Structure formats: C-alpha cells, structure tokens
Amino acid sequence: MLRIHFGEAENVEYGPSWFKYNYKPEWFKDPFVQEMVKAVDDSTYIDGLVIDSPVLGPIPPERLSGGVKTLIMIYEKPELVFDATSCGQNCAKWLLEIGKKKDVTVNLEYMMMFDEYAPFEIFVTNEGHVLNNAEDLFLTAAKYI
Amino acid sequence: MRGNHHIVIESENLKYEFDIKRNITVIQGESASGKTTLIDLLNEHLRRRGAGGIRMQSDVSCAVYVAGEDNWEYELKGLSGKIVFFDEDYRFIYTKEFAEYAGKADNYFVFITRKPLKNLPYSINEIYGIRTTGKYHFPEQVYHEFYPIYEDKCNLIEPKARLMILVEDKESGYEFFTKVSDACKTVSAEGNAGIFPKMLEIPSDERVLVVADGAAFGAYAETVVKYAKKNGKVGLYFPESFEWMVLKSGVLEDNEIDRVLAEPENYIDSQEYISWERFFTALLIEKSQKERYMRYSKTKLPDYYLEDRNRKRIVDVIPEEIRMLLE
C-alpha cells in the first residue's frame, strides 16, 4: 500500500541523488520501470543503459527526470522513505501503482492531486488511517502542507 | 535590483527563453518538463565561461547556487546584481533566516520547487511552469518557455446562491469590501494564511468570492486554487493588493501613477521592497498626501475612497466577470 506523510518530516531521502549514485542497470529490464519511464518522461528504454528521449536524444539513466528517478527509487528501495515532492503531478498514478505492488512510504510537501484515480487506498501516516476518496485526502493534506 | 530581465540560454539542441521581473520567481510543474535541464545548462555555461557550447543572452549576470546547506549565508554574502537560481533540493530556502536575507538582497532569486515557500511573500503571477512549443524531436532544437501556472485563476461560479466576500485584509481593504455590495456579507480572513481555513467554513448553500493580495499570495495559491476548482462555489480574485486597486482606479488623478503601474518592475527595488504589495502601499500613502481628506492609511480607510463615485471607480478595476458576482 502507498503510505504518505504530508508536510515536513525527518530522515527523508532525496530520490534523484540516491538514484544517481546507486542505480542498478538491471532495474531497467523490469517492464514496470520501463513503463514509468515512458509515461512520465515520454522516453523509451532501448538496451543496456540507453534511453531514447524525444528532447535530449539517446541518454543514460542519469539524465532522466527527477520525478521518474524518485519513482524508481521508491519502487526499488521500499524500505526507505523518499521525498515524493520531487515527483510532479504526472507521477501521481505511478505512486499508486507502486503502492499496489509494494508497501512504500513517501513524504509529500505539495498538493498532489489523486482525484482521477479515486477510489484508492492511501494510508496517511500523519493521521494513522486509510483514505479512499479525493475530498478527504485533499482536506487532510491541506492540514499539513 | 530592479527591472525586467530577458534571458535566452541555448545549445544546438535546447533553447530556453524567459523573463524575470520580480525578486522572487518560482518554477514548478510536471516532471520531465525541463526544470533541472535548465539549471544544468546555466551551470555548465557559467562554469565554462561561455566555452561549453552553450550561448546565453542576459543584461544581468546569473548564478546557480551549488554550495551546501550550512554555509549559504557565507556563499551568498558577496553576490549583488545577479539572478540566482536554486534547484529543488535546498532546505535552507524555506527558513526565516533566508527570507530575511532575501528581503534585503540586491539580487533576484529563482527557485525550482513545488513546496510552498511560506516565509517569502511572492506573487501568484510569478509561479511558472516550463513548456515546449512546436513540433520537436531530437536533434532539432527544442524551444522551452515559461507559462504562468495560475493564469486562469478567475474560477467563475454560478451567480445563484448568496455570495460571501472573503477578504485577506483586516483593515482598509476589508472596510472597503464591506461597502461594495449590500447583498454580500464580507468576512476578513485576517491574513493570507487564514483564507483556506475560512473557505472550509462556508455554509453549503453559499458561495464565496476570495479577494487576496496576489503580490504576496504565492505560497498559499496552490491549496486555495485547487480547492476552488474542486468545490465549484469559490470565485477567486487576486489583484496585486487593495492599494494597487486604488492606485489603478485613477481616484488620485496622477499621471505618474499610471506610468509606474504600466511597468512597476522598473520602479521597485528588491532591496527596499520584499514584495510589490509593500511598494504599492508606500506609493499610495505618498501620492495621497496632497489633500488631507484623501490621505491613505492601511488601518483606517478615509471616507473619500468610499464616496459613491470613487468607490465605483475602484470597483471598476475588478474584471467584469467577477464584478458581476457582486451585483
């Protein structure tokens, strides 16, 4: 399940930096990672460590967006808490998709909208319970952001 | 520092073109829109002193903050007359200490961040996303430009139910709006942080028009605008400030005011005014001194501004689609 801590939090990891110095080539063989890269960055995994970006051309993983790097870290290191504020609105769907596959906890410090994916299951750690609808989630997030 | 600064930075594959005209600018938006690439291009250009295959046009020099969290005061101390860019991963930019420094600095600051900077009074109009335009595909040069995220901020609502006016001001601005419409109840949120909590208190059979000082509402814009769009009963009006409305209305009949309002960025010094809102207050106080009866005070609105003719001129500053709600 996706667990979110809204607002400031201690001991939160910065995804783009983690990714830059810790990524593993085999992560990109996973179709789910390839799907996230395609959806968020509009970029296609080719082979090895080559990704085709429509804007930057053939790029190594280091040049992916901060958002997709953070998504990959959340997925690959579920035991850590990453700052999902690095993830733009176009990452919301993928946070939920990761949450369907693994138990992950992220920190969010802006009003990411999950409305179009309701009903969902998000555990809000600030309050200690699961929320399923966008209205409740928005009002809860607004208390802490 | 003052003025509008047009910046172009480009390589053979990428081009960014934008204007920076206030001391605080925020860039946010979706992932993969090119925010970090902009910082990388700037940083590379500055490091290589123009010899890295990146061209830049700007009438002022730029800097990218690349030092650490703990020594920012030392690192920024010597900077003057620059536009300083920050990528999203610095925590000190949210502190009161940094806000105090930024409020007196002879620099403009550009922050890449989605997190609200609650200690800095920045404008809702200077929060931008980056978008690419035209058909593109590598290796053609891809053009990136800024767009204001809250451009479409009017958020019209059905003129049916009873309307409440929720005003950020608690003094002169609030007093003015209490006299704008007999049909509307006016409530003060007592500051920009009070707007959203007050919005939640609206009875289900009422609508609300939020009036807040756009020049300093940046940190609160996201929650209020997104809630307004979801809720459907909230209209939004973000003039620069109430004092800007008075100046804009022409009730002081001073041609210099029109010249200043046409391009305020050329008159507002970042070292003197942390936000345009404060400049407009100072300008209104200065320009209203010539006659005792029109001397503006932030705490008590002189009757001059509430006289029918003058009140109407100030109300006419409000865009027609919002004004209609008040009738």
PDB file of all heavy atoms in Angstrom, chain A residues 12-46:
ATOM      1  N   VAL A  12      14.205  11.879   5.583  1.00  0.00           N
ATOM      2  CA  VAL A  12      13.616  11.607   4.267  1.00  0.00           C
ATOM      3  C   VAL A  12      14.733  11.668   3.226  1.00  0.00           C
ATOM      4  O   VAL A  12      15.594  12.538   3.277  1.00  0.00           O
ATOM      5  CB  VAL A  12      12.512  12.643   3.960  1.00  0.00           C
ATOM      6  CG1 VAL A  12      12.009  12.481   2.542  1.00  0.00           C
ATOM      7  CG2 VAL A  12      11.363  12.483   4.946  1.00  0.00           C
ATOM      8  N   GLU A  13      14.694  10.731   2.300  1.00  0.00           N
ATOM      9  CA  GLU A  13      15.767  10.622   1.307  1.00  0.00           C
ATOM     10  C   GLU A  13      15.411  11.394   0.034  1.00  0.00           C
ATOM     11  O   GLU A  13      14.245  11.470  -0.352  1.00  0.00           O
ATOM     12  CB  GLU A  13      16.004   9.150   0.940  1.00  0.00           C
ATOM     13  CG  GLU A  13      16.187   8.232   2.132  1.00  0.00           C
ATOM     14  CD  GLU A  13      17.480   8.500   2.897  1.00  0.00           C
ATOM     15  OE1 GLU A  13      18.415   9.050   2.308  1.00  0.00           O
ATOM     16  OE2 GLU A  13      17.538   8.147   4.090  1.00  0.00           O
ATOM     17  N   TYR A  14      16.459  11.938  -0.606  1.00  0.00           N
ATOM     18  CA  TYR A  14      16.270  12.697  -1.844  1.00  0.00           C
ATOM     19  C   TYR A  14      16.516  11.774  -3.036  1.00  0.00           C
ATOM     20  O   TYR A  14      17.646  11.348  -3.305  1.00  0.00           O
ATOM     21  CB  TYR A  14      17.221  13.897  -1.859  1.00  0.00           C
ATOM     22  CG  TYR A  14      17.051  14.790  -3.059  1.00  0.00           C
ATOM     23  CD1 TYR A  14      15.829  15.389  -3.328  1.00  0.00           C
ATOM     24  CD2 TYR A  14      18.097  15.022  -3.933  1.00  0.00           C
ATOM     25  CE1 TYR A  14      15.658  16.200  -4.443  1.00  0.00           C
ATOM     26  CE2 TYR A  14      17.946  15.836  -5.040  1.00  0.00           C
ATOM     27  CZ  TYR A  14      16.721  16.421  -5.281  1.00  0.00           C
ATOM     28  OH  TYR A  14      16.556  17.219  -6.390  1.00  0.00           O
ATOM     29  N   GLY A  15      15.448  11.446  -3.735  1.00  0.00           N
ATOM     30  CA  GLY A  15      15.476  10.420  -4.778  1.00  0.00           C
ATOM     31  C   GLY A  15      16.488  10.635  -5.898  1.00  0.00           C
ATOM     32  O   GLY A  15      17.248   9.715  -6.225  1.00  0.00           O
ATOM     33  N   PRO A  16      16.539  11.818  -6.521  1.00  0.00           N
ATOM     34  CA  PRO A  16      17.462  11.995  -7.646  1.00  0.00           C
ATOM     35  C   PRO A  16      18.913  11.735  -7.272  1.00  0.00           C
ATOM     36  O   PRO A  16      19.684  11.165  -8.049  1.00  0.00           O
ATOM     37  CB  PRO A  16      17.235  13.462  -8.053  1.00  0.00           C
ATOM     38  CG  PRO A  16      15.814  13.731  -7.656  1.00  0.00           C
ATOM     39  CD  PRO A  16      15.616  12.970  -6.379  1.00  0.00           C
ATOM     40  N   SER A  17      19.302  12.137  -6.054  1.00  0.00           N
ATOM     41  CA  SER A  17      20.675  11.912  -5.631  1.00  0.00           C
ATOM     42  C   SER A  17      20.916  10.425  -5.360  1.00  0.00           C
ATOM     43  O   SER A  17      21.930   9.852  -5.794  1.00  0.00           O
ATOM     44  CB  SER A  17      20.943  12.740  -4.369  1.00  0.00           C
ATOM     45  OG  SER A  17      22.235  12.496  -3.910  1.00  0.00           O
ATOM     46  N   TRP A  18      19.972   9.798  -4.673  1.00  0.00           N
ATOM     47  CA  TRP A  18      20.066   8.353  -4.426  1.00  0.00           C
ATOM     48  C   TRP A  18      20.229   7.604  -5.743  1.00  0.00           C
ATOM     49  O   TRP A  18      21.076   6.719  -5.875  1.00  0.00           O
ATOM     50  CB  TRP A  18      18.799   7.861  -3.725  1.00  0.00           C
ATOM     51  CG  TRP A  18      19.016   7.545  -2.282  1.00  0.00           C
ATOM     52  CD1 TRP A  18      18.795   8.370  -1.224  1.00  0.00           C
ATOM     53  CD2 TRP A  18      19.484   6.304  -1.735  1.00  0.00           C
ATOM     54  NE1 TRP A  18      19.109   7.729  -0.056  1.00  0.00           N
ATOM     55  CE2 TRP A  18      19.535   6.457  -0.327  1.00  0.00           C
ATOM     56  CE3 TRP A  18      19.881   5.078  -2.283  1.00  0.00           C
ATOM     57  CZ2 TRP A  18      19.943   5.444   0.522  1.00  0.00           C
ATOM     58  CZ3 TRP A  18      20.292   4.070  -1.440  1.00  0.00           C
ATOM     59  CH2 TRP A  18      20.324   4.259  -0.053  1.00  0.00           C
ATOM     60  N   PHE A  19      19.410   7.973  -6.699  1.00  0.00           N
ATOM     61  CA  PHE A  19      19.416   7.284  -7.991  1.00  0.00           C
ATOM     62  C   PHE A  19      20.780   7.438  -8.681  1.00  0.00           C
ATOM     63  O   PHE A  19      21.369   6.458  -9.145  1.00  0.00           O
ATOM     64  CB  PHE A  19      18.308   7.858  -8.887  1.00  0.00           C
ATOM     65  CG  PHE A  19      18.230   7.200 -10.236  1.00  0.00           C
ATOM     66  CD1 PHE A  19      17.410   6.096 -10.441  1.00  0.00           C
ATOM     67  CD2 PHE A  19      18.986   7.661 -11.303  1.00  0.00           C
ATOM     68  CE1 PHE A  19      17.352   5.481 -11.682  1.00  0.00           C
ATOM     69  CE2 PHE A  19      18.942   7.051 -12.538  1.00  0.00           C
ATOM     70  CZ  PHE A  19      18.123   5.961 -12.733  1.00  0.00           C
ATOM     71  N   LYS A  20      21.255   8.672  -8.723  1.00  0.00           N
ATOM     72  CA  LYS A  20      22.487   8.973  -9.451  1.00  0.00           C
ATOM     73  C   LYS A  20      23.646   8.086  -9.020  1.00  0.00           C
ATOM     74  O   LYS A  20      24.439   7.624  -9.845  1.00  0.00           O
ATOM     75  CB  LYS A  20      22.843  10.451  -9.230  1.00  0.00           C
ATOM     76  CG  LYS A  20      24.001  10.953 -10.047  1.00  0.00           C
ATOM     77  CD  LYS A  20      24.144  12.464  -9.830  1.00  0.00           C
ATOM     78  CE  LYS A  20      25.351  13.006 -10.578  1.00  0.00           C
ATOM     79  NZ  LYS A  20      25.529  14.445 -10.306  1.00  0.00           N
ATOM     80  N   TYR A  21      23.743   7.816  -7.718  1.00  0.00           N
ATOM     81  CA  TYR A  21      24.908   7.081  -7.212  1.00  0.00           C
ATOM     82  C   TYR A  21      24.619   5.631  -6.839  1.00  0.00           C
ATOM     83  O   TYR A  21      25.511   4.931  -6.370  1.00  0.00           O
ATOM     84  CB  TYR A  21      25.496   7.834  -6.006  1.00  0.00           C
ATOM     85  CG  TYR A  21      25.961   9.217  -6.392  1.00  0.00           C
ATOM     86  CD1 TYR A  21      25.242  10.348  -6.013  1.00  0.00           C
ATOM     87  CD2 TYR A  21      27.091   9.383  -7.196  1.00  0.00           C
ATOM     88  CE1 TYR A  21      25.651  11.608  -6.395  1.00  0.00           C
ATOM     89  CE2 TYR A  21      27.505  10.645  -7.588  1.00  0.00           C
ATOM     90  CZ  TYR A  21      26.781  11.753  -7.190  1.00  0.00           C
ATOM     91  OH  TYR A  21      27.176  13.002  -7.580  1.00  0.00           O
ATOM     92  N   ASN A  22      23.396   5.187  -7.034  1.00  0.00           N
ATOM     93  CA  ASN A  22      23.053   3.834  -6.565  1.00  0.00           C
ATOM     94  C   ASN A  22      22.258   2.984  -7.546  1.00  0.00           C
ATOM     95  O   ASN A  22      21.919   1.849  -7.226  1.00  0.00           O
ATOM     96  CB  ASN A  22      22.247   3.938  -5.250  1.00  0.00           C
ATOM     97  CG  ASN A  22      23.053   4.570  -4.120  1.00  0.00           C
ATOM     98  OD1 ASN A  22      23.884   3.913  -3.504  1.00  0.00           O
ATOM     99  ND2 ASN A  22      22.826   5.841  -3.867  1.00  0.00           N
ATOM    100  N   TYR A  23      21.922   3.517  -8.735  1.00  0.00           N
ATOM    101  CA  TYR A  23      21.027   2.732  -9.593  1.00  0.00           C
ATOM    102  C   TYR A  23      21.740   1.488 -10.130  1.00  0.00           C
ATOM    103  O   TYR A  23      22.957   1.443 -10.260  1.00  0.00           O
ATOM    104  CB  TYR A  23      20.437   3.583 -10.725  1.00  0.00           C
ATOM    105  CG  TYR A  23      21.357   3.869 -11.888  1.00  0.00           C
ATOM    106  CD1 TYR A  23      21.550   2.927 -12.915  1.00  0.00           C
ATOM    107  CD2 TYR A  23      22.022   5.089 -11.994  1.00  0.00           C
ATOM    108  CE1 TYR A  23      22.379   3.189 -13.986  1.00  0.00           C
ATOM    109  CE2 TYR A  23      22.856   5.352 -13.058  1.00  0.00           C
ATOM    110  CZ  TYR A  23      23.034   4.404 -14.049  1.00  0.00           C
ATOM    111  OH  TYR A  23      23.866   4.668 -15.102  1.00  0.00           O
ATOM    112  N   LYS A  24      20.937   0.480 -10.428  1.00  0.00           N
ATOM    113  CA  LYS A  24      21.471  -0.773 -10.958  1.00  0.00           C
ATOM    114  C   LYS A  24      20.969  -0.956 -12.398  1.00  0.00           C
ATOM    115  O   LYS A  24      19.772  -0.764 -12.652  1.00  0.00           O
ATOM    116  CB  LYS A  24      20.978  -1.959 -10.123  1.00  0.00           C
ATOM    117  CG  LYS A  24      21.325  -1.849  -8.629  1.00  0.00           C
ATOM    118  CD  LYS A  24      22.765  -2.262  -8.372  1.00  0.00           C
ATOM    119  CE  LYS A  24      23.084  -2.304  -6.896  1.00  0.00           C
ATOM    120  NZ  LYS A  24      23.214  -0.955  -6.280  1.00  0.00           N
ATOM    121  N   PRO A  25      21.869  -1.335 -13.300  1.00  0.00           N
ATOM    122  CA  PRO A  25      21.451  -1.496 -14.702  1.00  0.00           C
ATOM    123  C   PRO A  25      20.267  -2.444 -14.857  1.00  0.00           C
ATOM    124  O   PRO A  25      19.400  -2.220 -15.715  1.00  0.00           O
ATOM    125  CB  PRO A  25      22.706  -2.055 -15.384  1.00  0.00           C
ATOM    126  CG  PRO A  25      23.835  -1.594 -14.527  1.00  0.00           C
ATOM    127  CD  PRO A  25      23.318  -1.573 -13.126  1.00  0.00           C
ATOM    128  N   GLU A  26      20.204  -3.489 -14.023  1.00  0.00           N
ATOM    129  CA  GLU A  26      19.137  -4.481 -14.208  1.00  0.00           C
ATOM    130  C   GLU A  26      17.745  -3.930 -13.900  1.00  0.00           C
ATOM    131  O   GLU A  26      16.748  -4.496 -14.320  1.00  0.00           O
ATOM    132  CB  GLU A  26      19.404  -5.744 -13.368  1.00  0.00           C
ATOM    133  CG  GLU A  26      19.508  -5.536 -11.882  1.00  0.00           C
ATOM    134  CD  GLU A  26      20.946  -5.321 -11.417  1.00  0.00           C
ATOM    135  OE1 GLU A  26      21.776  -4.830 -12.211  1.00  0.00           O
ATOM    136  OE2 GLU A  26      21.236  -5.620 -10.237  1.00  0.00           O
ATOM    137  N   TRP A  27      17.685  -2.809 -13.169  1.00  0.00           N
ATOM    138  CA  TRP A  27      16.365  -2.221 -12.891  1.00  0.00           C
ATOM    139  C   TRP A  27      15.618  -1.914 -14.190  1.00  0.00           C
ATOM    140  O   TRP A  27      14.399  -2.000 -14.253  1.00  0.00           O
ATOM    141  CB  TRP A  27      16.497  -0.916 -12.089  1.00  0.00           C
ATOM    142  CG  TRP A  27      16.983  -1.083 -10.674  1.00  0.00           C
ATOM    143  CD1 TRP A  27      17.169  -2.262  -9.997  1.00  0.00           C
ATOM    144  CD2 TRP A  27      17.344  -0.038  -9.762  1.00  0.00           C
ATOM    145  NE1 TRP A  27      17.626  -2.019  -8.725  1.00  0.00           N
ATOM    146  CE2 TRP A  27      17.742  -0.663  -8.544  1.00  0.00           C
ATOM    147  CE3 TRP A  27      17.383   1.346  -9.826  1.00  0.00           C
ATOM    148  CZ2 TRP A  27      18.157   0.064  -7.429  1.00  0.00           C
ATOM    149  CZ3 TRP A  27      17.791   2.080  -8.720  1.00  0.00           C
ATOM    150  CH2 TRP A  27      18.182   1.431  -7.539  1.00  0.00           C
ATOM    151  N   PHE A  28      16.376  -1.549 -15.225  1.00  0.00           N
ATOM    152  CA  PHE A  28      15.734  -1.105 -16.473  1.00  0.00           C
ATOM    153  C   PHE A  28      15.214  -2.255 -17.319  1.00  0.00           C
ATOM    154  O   PHE A  28      14.551  -2.046 -18.325  1.00  0.00           O
ATOM    155  CB  PHE A  28      16.690  -0.198 -17.260  1.00  0.00           C
ATOM    156  CG  PHE A  28      16.902   1.098 -16.543  1.00  0.00           C
ATOM    157  CD1 PHE A  28      17.951   1.248 -15.656  1.00  0.00           C
ATOM    158  CD2 PHE A  28      15.990   2.130 -16.680  1.00  0.00           C
ATOM    159  CE1 PHE A  28      18.112   2.415 -14.940  1.00  0.00           C
ATOM    160  CE2 PHE A  28      16.143   3.308 -15.969  1.00  0.00           C
ATOM    161  CZ  PHE A  28      17.207   3.451 -15.091  1.00  0.00           C
ATOM    162  N   LYS A  29      15.535  -3.484 -16.899  1.00  0.00           N
ATOM    163  CA  LYS A  29      14.975  -4.658 -17.597  1.00  0.00           C
ATOM    164  C   LYS A  29      13.542  -4.921 -17.135  1.00  0.00           C
ATOM    165  O   LYS A  29      12.808  -5.668 -17.769  1.00  0.00           O
ATOM    166  CB  LYS A  29      15.840  -5.902 -17.313  1.00  0.00           C
ATOM    167  CG  LYS A  29      17.281  -5.778 -17.769  1.00  0.00           C
ATOM    168  CD  LYS A  29      17.390  -5.755 -19.279  1.00  0.00           C
ATOM    169  CE  LYS A  29      18.848  -5.646 -19.732  1.00  0.00           C
ATOM    170  NZ  LYS A  29      18.961  -5.316 -21.158  1.00  0.00           N
ATOM    171  N   ASP A  30      13.150  -4.336 -16.013  1.00  0.00           N
ATOM    172  CA  ASP A  30      11.819  -4.546 -15.450  1.00  0.00           C
ATOM    173  C   ASP A  30      10.788  -3.766 -16.288  1.00  0.00           C
ATOM    174  O   ASP A  30      10.882  -2.532 -16.391  1.00  0.00           O
ATOM    175  CB  ASP A  30      11.827  -4.042 -13.990  1.00  0.00           C
ATOM    176  CG  ASP A  30      10.502  -4.271 -13.281  1.00  0.00           C
ATOM    177  OD1 ASP A  30       9.467  -4.392 -13.961  1.00  0.00           O
ATOM    178  OD2 ASP A  30      10.515  -4.295 -12.028  1.00  0.00           O
ATOM    179  N   PRO A  31       9.802  -4.428 -16.890  1.00  0.00           N
ATOM    180  CA  PRO A  31       8.813  -3.728 -17.722  1.00  0.00           C
ATOM    181  C   PRO A  31       8.077  -2.614 -16.977  1.00  0.00           C
ATOM    182  O   PRO A  31       7.690  -1.614 -17.577  1.00  0.00           O
ATOM    183  CB  PRO A  31       7.826  -4.842 -18.125  1.00  0.00           C
ATOM    184  CG  PRO A  31       8.592  -6.105 -17.963  1.00  0.00           C
ATOM    185  CD  PRO A  31       9.581  -5.884 -16.859  1.00  0.00           C
ATOM    186  N   PHE A  32       7.908  -2.782 -15.651  1.00  0.00           N
ATOM    187  CA  PHE A  32       7.214  -1.747 -14.874  1.00  0.00           C
ATOM    188  C   PHE A  32       8.038  -0.453 -14.829  1.00  0.00           C
ATOM    189  O   PHE A  32       7.504   0.650 -14.977  1.00  0.00           O
ATOM    190  CB  PHE A  32       6.936  -2.261 -13.452  1.00  0.00           C
ATOM    191  CG  PHE A  32       6.177  -1.272 -12.602  1.00  0.00           C
ATOM    192  CD1 PHE A  32       4.843  -0.969 -12.870  1.00  0.00           C
ATOM    193  CD2 PHE A  32       6.798  -0.650 -11.527  1.00  0.00           C
ATOM    194  CE1 PHE A  32       4.149  -0.051 -12.082  1.00  0.00           C
ATOM    195  CE2 PHE A  32       6.106   0.264 -10.729  1.00  0.00           C
ATOM    196  CZ  PHE A  32       4.783   0.562 -11.014  1.00  0.00           C
ATOM    197  N   VAL A  33       9.360  -0.598 -14.655  1.00  0.00           N
ATOM    198  CA  VAL A  33      10.236   0.588 -14.664  1.00  0.00           C
ATOM    199  C   VAL A  33      10.204   1.231 -16.057  1.00  0.00           C
ATOM    200  O   VAL A  33      10.098   2.456 -16.195  1.00  0.00           O
ATOM    201  CB  VAL A  33      11.683   0.203 -14.260  1.00  0.00           C
ATOM    202  CG1 VAL A  33      12.648   1.360 -14.503  1.00  0.00           C
ATOM    203  CG2 VAL A  33      11.717  -0.215 -12.792  1.00  0.00           C
ATOM    204  N   GLN A  34      10.257   0.395 -17.094  1.00  0.00           N
ATOM    205  CA  GLN A  34      10.205   0.928 -18.466  1.00  0.00           C
ATOM    206  C   GLN A  34       8.902   1.687 -18.707  1.00  0.00           C
ATOM    207  O   GLN A  34       8.879   2.727 -19.363  1.00  0.00           O
ATOM    208  CB  GLN A  34      10.332  -0.219 -19.475  1.00  0.00           C
ATOM    209  CG  GLN A  34      11.688  -0.898 -19.459  1.00  0.00           C
ATOM    210  CD  GLN A  34      11.736  -2.095 -20.401  1.00  0.00           C
ATOM    211  OE1 GLN A  34      10.876  -2.262 -21.268  1.00  0.00           O
ATOM    212  NE2 GLN A  34      12.745  -2.945 -20.233  1.00  0.00           N
ATOM    213  N   GLU A  35       7.817   1.145 -18.139  1.00  0.00           N
ATOM    214  CA  GLU A  35       6.513   1.780 -18.312  1.00  0.00           C
ATOM    215  C   GLU A  35       6.483   3.152 -17.637  1.00  0.00           C
ATOM    216  O   GLU A  35       5.948   4.127 -18.176  1.00  0.00           O
ATOM    217  CB  GLU A  35       5.441   0.861 -17.690  1.00  0.00           C
ATOM    218  CG  GLU A  35       4.091   0.934 -18.365  1.00  0.00           C
ATOM    219  CD  GLU A  35       3.085  -0.006 -17.695  1.00  0.00           C
ATOM    220  OE1 GLU A  35       3.501  -0.992 -17.035  1.00  0.00           O
ATOM    221  OE2 GLU A  35       1.898   0.272 -17.811  1.00  0.00           O
ATOM    222  N   MET A  36       7.057   3.249 -16.442  1.00  0.00           N
ATOM    223  CA  MET A  36       7.099   4.542 -15.734  1.00  0.00           C
ATOM    224  C   MET A  36       7.942   5.554 -16.524  1.00  0.00           C
ATOM    225  O   MET A  36       7.555   6.722 -16.656  1.00  0.00           O
ATOM    226  CB  MET A  36       7.681   4.366 -14.325  1.00  0.00           C
ATOM    227  CG  MET A  36       6.748   3.645 -13.376  1.00  0.00           C
ATOM    228  SD  MET A  36       7.164   3.878 -11.628  1.00  0.00           S
ATOM    229  CE  MET A  36       8.680   2.964 -11.465  1.00  0.00           C
ATOM    230  N   VAL A  37       9.077   5.099 -17.042  1.00  0.00           N
ATOM    231  CA  VAL A  37       9.962   5.985 -17.812  1.00  0.00           C
ATOM    232  C   VAL A  37       9.220   6.506 -19.045  1.00  0.00           C
ATOM    233  O   VAL A  37       9.286   7.698 -19.395  1.00  0.00           O
ATOM    234  CB  VAL A  37      11.249   5.235 -18.218  1.00  0.00           C
ATOM    235  CG1 VAL A  37      12.051   6.031 -19.251  1.00  0.00           C
ATOM    236  CG2 VAL A  37      12.106   4.947 -16.984  1.00  0.00           C
ATOM    237  N   LYS A  38       8.466   5.630 -19.680  1.00  0.00           N
ATOM    238  CA  LYS A  38       7.722   6.023 -20.881  1.00  0.00           C
ATOM    239  C   LYS A  38       6.615   7.015 -20.527  1.00  0.00           C
ATOM    240  O   LYS A  38       6.425   8.043 -21.186  1.00  0.00           O
ATOM    241  CB  LYS A  38       7.115   4.769 -21.542  1.00  0.00           C
ATOM    242  CG  LYS A  38       6.337   5.043 -22.817  1.00  0.00           C
ATOM    243  CD  LYS A  38       7.273   5.490 -23.933  1.00  0.00           C
ATOM    244  CE  LYS A  38       6.519   5.946 -25.160  1.00  0.00           C
ATOM    245  NZ  LYS A  38       7.396   6.605 -26.129  1.00  0.00           N
ATOM    246  N   ALA A  39       5.879   6.714 -19.464  1.00  0.00           N
ATOM    247  CA  ALA A  39       4.715   7.537 -19.116  1.00  0.00           C
ATOM    248  C   ALA A  39       5.122   8.921 -18.599  1.00  0.00           C
ATOM    249  O   ALA A  39       4.519   9.926 -18.969  1.00  0.00           O
ATOM    250  CB  ALA A  39       3.876   6.818 -18.066  1.00  0.00           C
ATOM    251  N   VAL A  40       6.122   8.980 -17.762  1.00  0.00           N
ATOM    252  CA  VAL A  40       6.470  10.260 -17.118  1.00  0.00           C
ATOM    253  C   VAL A  40       7.402  11.084 -18.008  1.00  0.00           C
ATOM    254  O   VAL A  40       7.192  12.281 -18.206  1.00  0.00           O
ATOM    255  CB  VAL A  40       7.115  10.022 -15.730  1.00  0.00           C
ATOM    256  CG1 VAL A  40       7.566  11.353 -15.114  1.00  0.00           C
ATOM    257  CG2 VAL A  40       6.133   9.322 -14.804  1.00  0.00           C
ATOM    258  N   ASP A  41       8.427  10.450 -18.564  1.00  0.00           N
ATOM    259  CA  ASP A  41       9.431  11.204 -19.336  1.00  0.00           C
ATOM    260  C   ASP A  41       9.216  11.106 -20.848  1.00  0.00           C
ATOM    261  O   ASP A  41       9.979  11.681 -21.619  1.00  0.00           O
ATOM    262  CB  ASP A  41      10.843  10.685 -19.008  1.00  0.00           C
ATOM    263  CG  ASP A  41      11.349  11.215 -17.678  1.00  0.00           C
ATOM    264  OD1 ASP A  41      10.511  11.667 -16.875  1.00  0.00           O
ATOM    265  OD2 ASP A  41      12.566  11.166 -17.439  1.00  0.00           O
ATOM    266  N   ASP A  42       8.210  10.343 -21.266  1.00  0.00           N
ATOM    267  CA  ASP A  42       7.963  10.118 -22.694  1.00  0.00           C
ATOM    268  C   ASP A  42       9.224   9.560 -23.366  1.00  0.00           C
ATOM    269  O   ASP A  42       9.548   9.879 -24.504  1.00  0.00           O
ATOM    270  CB  ASP A  42       7.520  11.434 -23.368  1.00  0.00           C
ATOM    271  CG  ASP A  42       6.994  11.207 -24.782  1.00  0.00           C
ATOM    272  OD1 ASP A  42       6.557  10.081 -25.080  1.00  0.00           O
ATOM    273  OD2 ASP A  42       7.043  12.149 -25.597  1.00  0.00           O
ATOM    274  N   SER A  43       9.961   8.767 -22.622  1.00  0.00           N
ATOM    275  CA  SER A  43      11.227   8.230 -23.117  1.00  0.00           C
ATOM    276  C   SER A  43      11.179   6.707 -23.155  1.00  0.00           C
ATOM    277  O   SER A  43      10.520   6.074 -22.328  1.00  0.00           O
ATOM    278  CB  SER A  43      12.388   8.680 -22.215  1.00  0.00           C
ATOM    279  OG  SER A  43      12.503  10.078 -22.262  1.00  0.00           O
ATOM    280  N   THR A  44      11.900   6.141 -24.113  1.00  0.00           N
ATOM    281  CA  THR A  44      11.818   4.703 -24.349  1.00  0.00           C
ATOM    282  C   THR A  44      13.143   4.027 -23.999  1.00  0.00           C
ATOM    283  O   THR A  44      14.208   4.449 -24.483  1.00  0.00           O
ATOM    284  CB  THR A  44      11.511   4.439 -25.845  1.00  0.00           C
ATOM    285  OG1 THR A  44      10.348   5.211 -26.185  1.00  0.00           O
ATOM    286  CG2 THR A  44      11.255   2.966 -26.114  1.00  0.00           C
ATOM    287  N   TYR A  45      13.033   2.988 -23.169  1.00  0.00           N
ATOM    288  CA  TYR A  45      14.243   2.225 -22.842  1.00  0.00           C
ATOM    289  C   TYR A  45      14.669   1.432 -24.078  1.00  0.00           C
ATOM    290  O   TYR A  45      13.855   0.731 -24.692  1.00  0.00           O
ATOM    291  CB  TYR A  45      13.971   1.282 -21.668  1.00  0.00           C
ATOM    292  CG  TYR A  45      15.137   0.376 -21.369  1.00  0.00           C
ATOM    293  CD1 TYR A  45      16.307   0.889 -20.821  1.00  0.00           C
ATOM    294  CD2 TYR A  45      15.078  -0.987 -21.674  1.00  0.00           C
ATOM    295  CE1 TYR A  45      17.399   0.063 -20.583  1.00  0.00           C
ATOM    296  CE2 TYR A  45      16.160  -1.818 -21.430  1.00  0.00           C
ATOM    297  CZ  TYR A  45      17.323  -1.286 -20.890  1.00  0.00           C
ATOM    298  OH  TYR A  45      18.402  -2.101 -20.660  1.00  0.00           O
ATOM    299  N   ILE A  46      15.937   1.541 -24.465  1.00  0.00           N
ATOM    300  CA  ILE A  46      16.432   0.846 -25.663  1.00  0.00           C
ATOM    301  C   ILE A  46      17.128  -0.459 -25.252  1.00  0.00           C
ATOM    302  O   ILE A  46      16.630  -1.542 -25.503  1.00  0.00           O
ATOM    303  CB  ILE A  46      17.421   1.737 -26.459  1.00  0.00           C
ATOM    304  CG1 ILE A  46      16.753   3.078 -26.833  1.00  0.00           C
ATOM    305  CG2 ILE A  46      17.914   1.009 -27.722  1.00  0.00           C
ATOM    306  CD1 ILE A  46      15.566   2.985 -27.749  1.00  0.00           C
TER     307      ILE A  46
END
